[in-house]
Amino acid sequence: MTPSLPISIVRKPQDVLETLFGYGEFRSQQAAIIEAVMAGRDALVIMPTGGGKSLCYQVPSLCMDGLGIVVSPLIALMADQVSSLNQLGVRAAYLNSTQEFSVQMDVINAVRNGELDLLYVAPERLLKEQTLEVLRQIKVALIAVDEAHCVSSWGHDFRRDYLELHLLKQHFPNVPRIALTATADERTRDDIAHNLQLQSPDIFIDGFDRSNIHYRVALKDSPKKQLLEFLQQRKDEAGIVYCLSRRAVDATATLLADNGYDALPYHAGLDAAVRARHQERFLREDGVIVVATIAFGMGIDKPDVRFVAHMDLPKSIEAYYQETGRAGRDGAPAQAWMVYGLQDVVRMSQMLSESQADEAHKRIENEKLNALLGWCEVTACRRAALLNYFGDTLQTPCSGCDVCDTPPKTWDALESAQKFMSCVVRTGQRFGAGHVIDVLRGADKERVQQLQHDTLPTFGIGGDLSEAQWRSVVRQLIAQGYLYADAARHGGLRLSEHARPLLRGDVPLQLRVDATSKGSSSSKSRSNRARSEPAIELSELDTMVFEELRATRKRLADEQSVPPYVIFHDATLREMAQLRPATANEMLGLNGVGQTKLDRYGAAFLLTLGGGDAAEMAGPDYESQPGLEEQYGSWSDEEPTEFG
Ligand code: ADP
Ligand code: ZN
């Protein structure tokens, strides 16, 4: 292989960023992280999903002498990343046990001959004596451990293979190691530094804010209708809709398909081949919606997921953050949307109590669920509350959540809460919300009479509120920890220990007024905007151009069997549709267009844009026309490095 690619010449991080990746500047702490690694120090990097972790080890690997090794647990991701790098003209390959022996040998040989800048490898493969043997003979620039939280048994993705990675310290004592993750409670962080035996690492914590994600939680009243309303302006956008049960997944996927969406179900009950096909379509095609249980998502690295919708409550704020984190990895605006109601709470508590976990574990899970409920019912900025949960604070005011869009009205609910709670006590703390509300509202129902609850002093004292209003009170009392649904008693409501001061009237109680479903649908107005990097609003004409560019991208992607986003991200195409570059140089000015991509695809997209010189010079077989070389500078005459 001839060292003709620009990377072997370009050595400064800023140059690599510009010429290779096509980006103008480093984000937040990227430059500092790269500097630390290039100075030979260990680093621990905590950055939210989509924050740009990959550049932190890719750039130094391309600037430093020797091979950059990237340990990654997810085989699907490896292939994707390598394919993206190859598109940039970077000499990268991966090594894992799914490859045929001969392919593995090719990669090993390339490593031996110094033909690679980056090697992605699964942990168990890296620590094989055979691999180490080869690596010891060459110069290793750095070792990156991606998804480093897998080394912590505290986290939910613990992997035994990862524990062995501390051996890297012995095998490569002088090679800087950089551990990266998006999960970052303190305990996980300590585990990573300790279990990997990082040497007084520089620690970079980038905060949890996913500023391009807009958060919205609405009361679930007619979920199907609400979902369709939400999706109305999102035809052709890729997204994930999460449901709790397989049945709900199937029903929702059918609903969306019936309404003209390209929606596919995904859950563990489906044939493995069907699941693989659906996942593949989601990755490869534009605008596919996957309706899924949480079985779907791990290892999905699609950057242009425009929304994540929850039809049911997730388990915890952590789970919610992780699931919604799959939206908008490309930095363009994305939506996290959820509907939830009292039924969800009861159902979740019940599922919890039926689980096989031990009591201590159940208690923790229950606390986590309650924290999530509390978050659903916040009366101040939802983003701030989310960050707060992770020990992070919001620097600038948020304009990317439902609460900030339309601050909820609150009311003094102390007396109503007292009425409700005393009715719960009078009826023996064994009934669900429905019955207690019947008693309060003096309902003429057989069950009430049979139980003689019409003789209680609390019978009929709650006629001032409607049933829906009472349900809202109950939900919020549960969310605030005053009541809980006792799973051991079929979800019967009980008072918690915090209820006493409230019953005595020692503390105030403000509850939010639920937005009615009519009110909530008016959220269209500005709620769909997220704060940073506002989406370029495309005019009708630009949208048509954008669609043509997407078609070109799809064709180029299909030719190489890679996902479209590997060619260019949506954001780049959007910018292209709006600015309509007419020359190679103008094209190079777009975010996400570096030299190699320009060389490879510039002509094709210029042609699609129909403008400038490309159209005149390049026919459909533009690639074989020598004249273009002068026009666009050097064509990369080399095929991407493909080892797999
Ligand atoms: P993470 O691994 O942290 O989830 P990635 O490394 O995949 O995130 O980066 C997310 C997206 O942000 C990618 O599309 C990447 O190309 C883009 N990106 C990263 N750094 C920059 C930068 N400095 N300027 C512009 N885009 C960037
Ligand atoms: Zn907000």
Side-chain angles (χ1 to χ4, degrees):
M1 181 175 302
T2 46
S4 65
L5 300 170
I7 44 172
S8 47
I9 321 161
V10 180
R11 287 283 157 127
K12 280 215 198 104
Q14 182 66 34
D15 291 344
V16 170
L17 183 75
E18 283 173 26
T19 50
L20 210 60
F21 291 93
Y23 297 136
E25 47 201 74
F26 284 111
R27 279 188 192 154
S28 62
Q29 306 197 71
Q30 281 174 331
I33 296 164
I34 290 166
E35 196 185 304
V37 174
M38 287 180 66
R41 295 197 294 275
D42 284 354
L44 172 53
V45 173
I46 291 150
M47 210 184 256
T49 308
K53 286 186 281 300
S54 333
L55 281 192
C56 299
Y57 52 81
Q58 288 168 348
V59 171
S61 299
L62 296 168
C63 294
M64 294 162 82
D65 231 13
L67 178 72
I69 299 174
V70 186
V71 184
S72 169
L74 302 164
I75 289 170
L77 284 197
M78 249 183 234
D80 237 35
Q81 287 229 17
V82 166
S83 154
S84 291
L85 286 167
N86 289 160
Q87 286 293 329
L88 297 169
V90 172
R91 307 181 306 171
Y94 64 89
L95 201 53
N96 65 46
S97 46
T98 65
Q99 290 165 307
E100 279 182 29
F101 182 71
S102 65
V103 177
Q104 296 191 25
M105 284 321 291
D106 285 348
V107 176
I108 297 263
N109 282 331
V111 170
R112 214 180 251 128
N113 299 333
E115 292 170 354
L116 291 179
D117 295 300
L118 274 153
L119 176 71
Y120 285 72
V121 59
E124 76 282 357
R125 191 68 177 75
L126 173 60
L127 293 168
K128 274 207 174 116
E129 188 45 40
Q130 181 203 12
T131 319
L132 291 169
E133 179 65 32
V134 176
L135 293 175
R136 269 195 291 263
Q137 291 168 29
I138 61 152
K139 180 152 179 52
V140 176
L142 66 88
I143 302 174
V145 179
D146 207 2
E147 312 287 349
H149 59 278
C150 293
V151 81
S152 166
S153 54
W154 170 244
H156 39 76
D157 294 332
F158 175 60
R159 285 170 185 249
R160 202 151 285 285
D161 296 338
Y162 258 62
L163 272 188
E164 302 296 312
L165 289 173
H166 70 88
L167 293 171
L168 291 172
K169 174 73 196 145
Q170 291 158 35
H171 292 301
F172 305 97
N174 299 315
V175 174
R177 286 169 303 149
I178 170 172
L180 310 101
T181 178
T183 321
D185 53 86
E186 234 172 278
R187 185 144 165 201
T188 309
R189 214 182 299 159
D190 292 345
D191 272 5
I192 294 173
H194 181 257
N195 292 352
L196 292 178
Q197 293 184 22
L198 299 179
Q199 298 300 298
S200 15
D202 286 9
I203 298 180
F204 300 91
I205 300 173
D206 214 29
F208 286 85
D209 190 14
R210 297 291 314 279
S211 58
N212 60 317
I213 297 185
H214 181 280
Y215 296 96
R216 169 164 181 72
V217 178
L219 186 64
K220 189 191 283 189
D221 52 15
S222 46
K224 288 180 180 168
K225 184 165 150 267
Q226 289 173 292
L227 180 65
L228 288 176
E229 254 170 39
F230 167 68
L231 291 178
Q232 210 160 40
Q233 309 134 67
R234 327 212 119 71
K235 285 253 151 78
D236 302 324
E237 288 189 0
I240 307 174
V241 178
Y242 283 115
C243 304
L244 204 55
S245 70
R246 295 175 188 183
R247 216 177 47 193
V249 164
D250 289 331
T252 307
T254 307
L255 171 81
L256 294 185
D258 289 348
N259 281 274
Y261 292 89
D262 198 353
L264 304 168
Y266 189 105
H267 57 67
L270 292 171
D271 214 45
V274 174
R275 268 183 303 176
R277 196 168 66 235
H278 290 180
Q279 172 163 335
E280 190 67 8
R281 283 204 53 212
F282 180 68
L283 292 177
R284 294 277 154 110
E285 293 175 25
D286 289 319
V288 174
I289 297 175
V290 163
V291 185
T293 55
I294 48 169
F296 182 78
M298 182 68 174
I300 295 296
D301 198 15
K302 187 176 164 65
D304 54 357
V305 175
R306 292 273 66 87
F307 64 85
V308 170
H310 280 90
M311 296 293 278
D312 296 296
L313 272 184
K315 274 180 14 185
S316 61
I317 293 185
E318 286 92 336
Y320 175 80
Y321 182 78
Q322 196 181 43
E323 285 155 26
T324 54
R326 291 169 188 144
R329 296 182 70 128
D330 55 7
Q335 312 292 318
W337 179 92
M338 174 159 80
V339 284
Y340 102 106
L342 191 53
Q343 279 312 312
D344 289 305
V345 182
V346 174
R347 188 150 61 130
M348 289 296 287
S349 315
Q350 226 140 21
M351 280 174 59
L352 245 176
S353 87
E354 285 160 11
S355 90
Q356 302 298 318
D358 58 57
E359 284 311 311
H361 194 79
K362 281 185 189 171
R363 199 165 52 240
I364 294 175
E365 300 277 294
N366 205 36
E367 275 165 24
K368 291 192 165 189
L369 177 61
N370 285 339
L372 177 63
L373 291 178
W375 182 76
C376 287
E377 300 285 351
V378 287
T379 49
C381 178
R382 201 174 283 292
R383 180 186 309 277
L386 187 63
L387 294 179
N388 203 14
Y389 180 81
F390 292 111
D392 198 359
T393 44
L394 192 62
Q395 302 303 340
T396 43
C398 162
S399 54
C401 80
D402 55 341
V403 182
C404 288
D405 290 343
T406 351
K409 293 194 184 70
T410 58
W411 59 292
D412 180 353
L414 181 62
E415 195 186 311
S416 300
Q418 289 170 329
K419 283 183 190 170
F420 189 88
M421 291 197 298
S422 72
C423 192
V424 167
V425 173
R426 300 262 179 197
T427 51
Q429 306 201 72
R430 38 193 191 101
F431 295 95
H435 180 72
V436 180
I437 292 172
D438 280 346
V439 175
L440 275 171
R441 302 192 71 239
D444 180 18
K445 287 199 176 160
E446 207 180 309
R447 186 162 181 230
V448 175
Q449 285 147 19
Q450 266 171 6
L451 291 161
Q452 299 187 350
H453 285 167
D454 52 351
T455 62
L456 294 174
T458 50
F459 180 80
I461 60 170
D464 53 332
L465 298 187
S466 71
E467 183 173 337
Q469 284 168 324
W470 277 119
R471 285 192 178 270
S472 164
V473 170
V474 181
R475 222 180 50 240
Q476 296 185 66
L477 287 176
I478 295 176
Q480 297 199 17
Y482 293 116
L483 284 178
Y484 64 99
D486 186 355
R489 292 183 173 208
H490 310 289
L493 293 173
R494 295 181 73 89
L495 270 56
S496 80
E497 55 205 270
H498 310 298
R500 189 162 308 185
L502 199 66
L503 270 176
R504 280 202 307 255
D506 290 349
V507 290
L509 183 72
Q510 290 286 320
L511 295 182
R512 49 187 285 171
V513 179
D514 283 341
T516 63
S517 130
K518 269 195 208 94
S520 60
S521 68
S522 72
S523 61
K524 280 170 199 154
S525 49
R526 51 202 184 104
S527 65
N528 297 332
R529 282 284 180 69
R531 185 150 44 95
S532 77
E533 306 184 43
I536 302 176
E537 289 268 351
L538 294 181
S539 70
E540 216 164 294
L541 186 62
D542 292 347
T543 306
M544 280 162 57
V545 176
F546 176 65
E547 290 306 328
E548 285 173 26
L549 293 171
R550 285 226 284 197
T552 299
R553 178 177 67 175
K554 180 82 171 75
R555 176 172 57 77
L556 294 170
D558 286 348
E559 278 166 19
Q560 305 177 59
S561 305
V562 294
Y565 53 79
V566 164
I567 311 266
F568 282 129
H569 282 178
D570 275 0
T572 303
L573 290 196
R574 242 175 242 284
E575 215 178 306
M576 205 180 284
Q578 207 194 30
L579 302 178
R580 314 253 180 97
T583 64
N585 241 339
E586 286 174 18
M587 191 68 108
L588 209 49
L590 303 183
N591 231 347
V593 184
Q595 190 61 49
T596 309
K597 291 223 171 152
L598 177 72
D599 292 345
R600 286 210 177 129
Y601 307 120
F605 284 95
L606 284 173
L607 196 65
T608 304
L609 289 169
D613 316 320
E616 284 154 38
M617 301 187 60
D621 56 342
Y622 54 90
E623 268 170 305
S624 59
Q625 299 205 1
L628 278 178
E629 184 145 359
E630 286 140 43
Q631 186 70 25
Y632 299 108
S634 67
W635 283 86
S636 156
D637 53 3
E638 230 169 316
E639 283 304 300
T641 325
E642 294 273 22
F643 290 96

